[in-house]
Amino acid sequence: MIKFLDLQAINNSYEPELSQAIKRVLDSGWYVLGDEVEAFEREYGEYITTQHCIGVANGLDALRLILKAYIELGVMCEGDEIIVPANTYIASILAITENRLVPVLVEPDNGTYNINPLLIEEKITDRTKGIMLVHLYGQNAMHHEIKSLVEKYSLKLIEDNAQAAGAYCGSKRTGALGHAAGHSFYPGKNLGALGDGGAVTTDDGELAEVIRALANYGSSKKYMNDYQGSNSRLDEIQAAILRVKLARLDADNLCRQAIAEYYLENIKHSDIVLPTIGYLHAAKMPGHVWHLFVVRTIYRDQLQHYLSEHGIQTQIHYPVPPHKQKAYRHWETCSCPITEAIHKEVLSLPISPIMCTTDVNKVVEAVNEFN
Ligand SMILES: *Cc1c(COP(=O)(O)O)cnc(C)c1O
């Protein structure tokens, strides 16, 4: 069987370094906020090319804490609006509502599935304080139109880089394009821990300081609490694991890219739409790190069933859009037809840095023979 994502094999490919890193932390006797987290923050900050990096407990907290810090700093307040793609994983939106800010949903581009930059300006009001830009499936979502809106209306640009670790926008890394970015190290992400983990990257020193305090009970000095914070820290053991995996992230992303290119060249089926690559991909640096390879077809459920019968695991990212979830039932009347159609038709094919050519070929052949 071809697994959708063989995490066991992926993590095995980092041995014995992973076990050595785990043992190093075990033997150190220091498990929270120590040398490993400090070193990882420095290394990941350098990788993303921001001045500050703060390890936190997960990707949702990274986004949630950025917005909370802006509230503490008086940049945003309850009821302010944040522009966010309707077509995203619900975490992007939860981070907004958790802070009693108001998500304003914008439909995606029908090719890249990322937010349609041309539909943003009509949604801007005098309560709009920021844009949450999600690099969905691993593809850079930045666009010159977004940059000019951010400047024109003095908005905060917050990137949800959970799916795009290592991607570029031109010659700049995603995660360093706006005022702050949230990163996730959930095991299945391109840079995955062996458990939960996340980070915030930013060049704003004041913001970084507030986030660091908020993630540690609102305290920057032991037993002195400046904010009503929470406990959202990256563990030493996860930081040590991430340091090992970060060293190979670019190489892993190149393997994903090679598989994606093979799929793009060789999958040929009149009922199946292949992913579109956005306008900045002509640049030398990868604008897409292929966290997911998502095809689209009105026969989605049949294709998934057929591939499963042929021993190929697939997944759906995502079956129900956020505005149709019970959690947001007050948006019942909200209509986002492009987002809704995408959710009915998308299917994610297997892709990972360790997938072998034979398996990639089997997927191509099976998909091409689907009828
Ligand atoms: C995974 C993900 C998150 C949340 O990250 P966690 O570490 O699972 O909390 C946020 N946004 C997007 C787009 C994601 O894919």
Side-chain angles (χ1 to χ4, degrees):
M1 194 200 29
I2 302 175
K3 287 192 179 170
F4 176 71
L5 186 68
D6 191 344
L7 280 180
Q8 189 183 27
I10 290 173
N11 287 320
N12 243 318
S13 75
Y14 290 93
E15 287 289 55
E17 288 83 358
L18 274 188
S19 293
Q20 286 163 353
I22 292 166
K23 184 78 167 43
R24 187 171 73 229
V25 176
L26 177 63
D27 291 346
S28 75
W30 195 275
Y31 308 114
V32 170
L33 296 185
D35 296 344
E36 298 289 345
V37 167
E38 205 182 302
F40 174 70
E41 288 178 341
R42 189 173 56 245
E43 289 160 11
Y44 194 66
E46 277 168 13
Y47 179 85
I48 297 293
T49 69
T50 54
Q51 285 174 34
H52 307 276
C53 173
I54 306 110
V56 296
N58 54 66
L60 171 59
D61 273 4
L63 299 170
R64 180 179 68 77
L65 290 168
I66 292 167
L67 294 170
K68 187 163 166 71
Y70 278 131
I71 290 171
E72 293 290 355
L73 288 167
V75 173
M76 295 176 186
C77 64
E78 197 178 314
D80 281 343
E81 295 168 4
I82 307 291
I83 303 276
V84 63
N87 187 47
T88 182
Y89 180 56
I90 196 167
S92 323
I93 293 168
L94 288 171
I96 299 170
T97 53
E98 273 264 328
N99 281 293
R100 297 171 180 273
L101 297 163
V102 180
V104 175
L105 306 181
V106 174
E107 285 265 66
D109 175 276
N110 215 3
T112 64
Y113 308 139
N114 272 325
I115 195 166
N116 185 335
L118 304 178
L119 299 178
I120 295 176
E121 190 163 21
E122 65 197 52
K123 296 290 180 82
I124 293 178
T125 71
D126 42 6
R127 293 225 68 173
T128 308
K129 291 291 161 61
I131 300 178
M132 173 82 75
L133 186 64
V134 185
H135 305 296
L136 198 69
Y137 304 152
Q139 175 159 221
N140 167 47
M142 191 57 177
H143 189 280
H144 56 80
E145 177 69 16
I146 295 175
K147 189 165 186 282
S148 56
L149 291 175
V150 165
E151 282 161 15
K152 182 171 171 191
Y153 296 97
S154 302
L155 306 176
K156 293 296 178 194
L157 180 63
I158 299 146
E159 295 174 79
D160 178 343
N161 201 45
Q163 302 192 356
Y168 283 90
C169 170
S171 58
K172 285 189 95 173
R173 290 261 191 208
T174 62
L177 306 175
H179 297 93
H183 305 257
S184 166
F185 309 123
Y186 179 79
K189 299 286 158 79
N190 286 29
L191 177 60
L194 304 186
D196 280 310
V200 173
T201 53
T202 180
D203 284 328
D204 181 340
E206 193 183 17
L207 185 77
E209 209 174 296
V210 178
I211 290 169
R212 196 176 285 287
L214 285 173
N216 190 30
Y217 304 112
S219 163
S220 16
K221 198 168 153 213
K222 206 166 189 187
Y223 305 127
M224 302 301 283
N225 303 81
D226 299 334
Y227 310 100
Q228 295 174 21
S230 57
N231 177 351
S232 179
R233 300 176 299 220
L234 180 66
D235 289 333
E236 282 286 285
I237 207 156
Q238 300 301 345
I241 287 159
L242 289 166
R243 292 179 68 198
V244 171
K245 298 185 77 172
L246 177 60
R248 227 181 71 193
L249 178 57
D250 284 338
D252 283 356
N253 283 342
L254 283 178
C255 296
R256 289 177 179 273
Q257 196 183 344
I259 294 168
E261 276 166 11
Y262 192 84
Y263 280 159
L264 287 171
E265 269 165 36
N266 294 287
I267 295 178
K268 290 188 172 76
H269 196 295
S270 54
D271 294 324
I272 296 172
V273 180
L274 293 170
T276 307
I277 288 160
Y279 83 117
L280 270 167
H281 204 71
K284 260 194 249 113
M285 306 310 223
H288 200 325
V289 289
W290 301 102
H291 172 57
L292 298 168
F293 189 94
V294 178
V295 299
R296 186 170 174 180
T297 170
I298 53 168
Y299 306 106
R300 189 260 310 277
D301 295 343
Q302 293 93 317
L303 178 61
Q304 182 169 43
H305 181 252
Y306 159 90
L307 288 174
S308 156
E309 301 255 282
H310 286 74
I312 297 167
Q313 276 185 351
T314 57
Q315 284 189 17
I316 297 168
H317 299 92
Y318 298 89
V320 181
H323 71 280
K324 292 290 174 194
Q325 296 285 355
K326 198 171 151 201
Y328 290 121
R329 51 193 168 272
H330 55 285
W331 286 341
E332 224 161 18
T333 53
C334 160
S335 158
C336 300
I338 302 171
T339 300
E340 287 155 35
I342 289 171
H343 281 72
K344 285 195 189 93
E345 297 176 8
V346 287
L347 187 68
S348 307
L349 301 182
I351 189 163
S352 91
I354 54 134
M355 202 175 162
C356 66
T357 320
T358 322
D359 285 352
V360 177
N361 256 312
K362 275 189 199 153
V363 173
V364 169
E365 275 166 31
V367 171
N368 286 345
E369 279 160 27
F370 169 65
N371 60 40

